Amino acid sequence: MLPKAISKTLAAVIIAVVVIAVVGGVVAYWYYYSQQKPAKLVYVVIGKSVHPYWSVVEAGVKKAGQELGVEAVFWVPSKEDVAAQLSTMDSYIAQKVAGIAIAPSDPGAATPYISKALQQGIPVITIDTDAPQSDRLAYLGTGNYKAGWLAGLVAWQLAKEKGYVRPGATIKVAMLTGSLTAMNSLERMAGFKDAIMNCSQKDPDIKGNINIEWLGPYNDQEDPTQALNLALSVLQAHPDLTIAFGVYAYDGPAWAKALKQAGIPPGKVILVEFDVTSDNVPPLQEGYALVTIGQRQYFMGYYGVKLLYNMTKLGVEQALKQFVPGYPDNKIYDTGVDIVSTRHMEFTAPTGERVTVLSLDEYKSLAQQLGIDPSLLGLS
Ligand code: BGC
């Protein structure tokens, strides 16, 4: 027989061991099963700046996330910020998310990050603005050269209507943009310029006998305050400006504010905006902006997440084959644009193209038909 004190101690030790074993077992069991439970898939969409334009993309991202039952994260820097975009992408690569869609402000700088993600098995697509030299799997967004070209055709038509296109006249055109590296900005400006130069050569009223003076491009780095200041200084130096082009969403509104502040009557300068948002509609309604090129950015967010999800579920090749017409030769899904003004217009450009401009009401019905809530676009 053990002495009483020793047997008591032994009993306590045995109880302690049993308690530790039970608690440990429960913890191990809980840990094991929590590791086994499939985590929610995470998809990340990286935009370019804070603006109602991007809020519409975000709405598409969230809707797709909801429908698929996955986590769809949307992130933008406050203004153009290449470093912040890429460090954010890098941290999501480290978290091993299921897919990334990025609108690279600088496609060259983004390329190694895109390769890094792909090497780790994370599919990457571009939206809104492309990085075609990278290995991105597809681009989902506006065909920006064509969109800029259409903007140029309409600007020319409006200049004709106002009597600015006359033999020997000078037409001053200024372009205000938020990036000199992002491809969407460069392509839009190139398309716009080519359209105007083509029209000036082909227009039977002048047959090239006109002087087109190009001002800018002025770069505000997606900063609306800087955009306004630049627009004001251009108008101060060139009060006889003929055409103002707002390349990014907030550029048109910045021109409109500057025109108002400079005391230039609405409609005198032909202001062409990009996008239909709560920021872009008032300048149209007030008559400062005469037309805008509406992108379908809701679908960049919505289909962006859906395409990445399908890549997880079906495999990259299968998902791309289903979604991108002409894949693998073609890796671009053009979300399309609409030309919008306060009134419906139809005309044939000097280049021979037939152009239709939708009124705001027509555009609102179109948005409804497409399943985009018009209030998201500033159309109540
Ligand atoms: C462009 C985006 C840009 C946004 C800025 C849009 O027109 O497509 O790339 O970030 O304007 O507000």
Side-chain angles (χ1 to χ4, degrees):
M1 278 274 278
L2 289 165
K4 227 179 183 172
I6 295 181
S7 71
K8 253 191 174 172
T9 311
L10 192 61
V13 167
I14 290 169
I15 289 170
V17 167
V18 169
V19 166
I20 288 168
V22 169
V23 170
V26 168
V27 168
Y29 179 86
W30 173 83
Y31 180 76
Y32 177 75
Y33 278 95
S34 68
Q35 292 300 298
Q36 294 302 301
K37 218 175 51 195
K40 224 178 182 187
L41 291 167
V42 181
Y43 296 91
V44 180
V45 177
I46 298 175
K48 290 172 68 231
S49 61
V50 171
H51 186 272
Y53 172 88
W54 285 107
S55 310
V56 177
V57 177
E58 181 175 15
V61 167
K62 295 293 168 195
K63 179 77 180 161
Q66 237 174 38
E67 286 179 7
L68 299 169
V70 299
E71 197 179 325
V73 178
F74 177 80
W75 183 90
V76 280
S78 62
K79 59 188 215 68
E80 182 176 72
D81 192 336
V82 175
Q85 264 194 331
L86 299 178
S87 66
T88 300
M89 179 164 178
D90 209 27
S91 73
Y92 282 112
I93 295 173
Q95 289 173 43
K96 304 210 179 311
V97 295
I100 298 175
I102 182 166
S105 286
D106 183 339
T111 295
Y113 291 84
I114 295 174
S115 305
K116 182 174 175 186
L118 291 169
Q119 273 157 20
Q120 300 193 16
I122 302 171
V124 180
I125 60 169
T126 47
I127 59 159
D128 177 63
T129 182
D130 199 6
Q133 309 304 331
S134 74
D135 292 332
R136 53 75 175 133
L137 298 167
Y139 165 64
L140 181 53
T142 298
N144 279 291
Y145 180 84
K146 182 72 198 301
W149 173 274
L150 292 174
L153 296 186
V154 186
W156 189 261
Q157 174 67 16
L158 292 166
K160 279 176 78 79
E161 282 181 15
K162 294 203 176 280
Y164 297 159
V165 176
R166 290 185 312 270
T170 293
I171 293 213
K172 284 192 180 183
V173 194
M175 301 195 282
L176 181 61
T177 187
S179 185
L180 293 181
T181 46
M183 275 197 64
N184 59 354
S185 161
L186 300 175
E187 289 175 340
R188 259 173 227 180
M189 292 192 289
F192 187 73
K193 205 166 180 175
D194 287 353
I196 289 186
M197 294 315 280
N198 253 273
C199 287
S200 73
Q201 290 302 313
K202 292 193 175 139
D203 195 311
D205 295 348
I206 48 153
K207 298 193 189 85
N209 179 20
I210 197 160
N211 173 32
I212 316 275
E213 204 178 301
W214 288 93
L215 306 171
Y218 302 97
N219 182 10
D220 53 59
Q221 294 168 299
E222 299 213 36
D223 177 346
T225 311
Q226 216 180 316
L228 174 61
N229 291 336
L230 284 168
L232 282 169
S233 66
V234 174
L235 290 177
Q236 201 168 28
H238 305 277
D240 55 345
L241 186 68
T242 322
I243 299 173
F245 183 28
V247 178
Y248 275 176
Y250 56 86
D251 287 316
W255 275 122
K257 254 186 232 155
L259 288 165
K260 212 189 263 185
Q261 282 185 29
I264 298 177
K268 183 167 181 287
V269 173
I270 295 159
L271 168 52
V272 179
E273 297 189 281
F274 240 82
D275 302 308
V276 180
T277 71
S278 55
D279 197 20
N280 301 89
V281 174
L284 285 169
Q285 287 165 333
E286 290 170 18
Y288 282 101
L290 299 184
V291 68
T292 192
I293 307 296
Q295 300 189 78
R296 294 184 175 176
Q297 72 270 29
Y298 180 81
F299 295 124
M300 300 179 198
Y302 182 75
Y303 289 127
V305 171
K306 291 220 157 172
L307 175 58
L308 290 170
Y309 175 83
N310 282 352
M311 288 177 176
T312 311
K313 294 290 161 185
L314 310 173
V316 168
E317 285 302 304
Q318 191 56 27
L320 286 169
K321 253 188 234 154
Q322 272 186 12
F323 189 78
V324 183
Y327 181 83
D329 296 335
N330 174 48
K331 291 182 177 168
I332 294 173
Y333 184 95
D334 189 343
T335 39
V337 292
D338 304 288
I339 314 173
V340 186
S341 179
T342 48
R343 62 187 166 114
H344 179 97
M345 285 165 66
E346 280 176 38
F347 64 91
T348 304
T351 52
E353 288 149 278
R354 191 85 192 137
V355 180
T356 302
V357 180
L358 303 180
S359 70
L360 281 170
D361 280 344
E362 288 169 328
Y363 186 65
K364 188 175 163 183
S365 319
L366 176 66
Q368 268 157 345
Q369 274 170 37
L370 293 171
I372 307 169
D373 177 358
S375 69
L376 271 179
L377 307 175
L379 301 165
S380 46

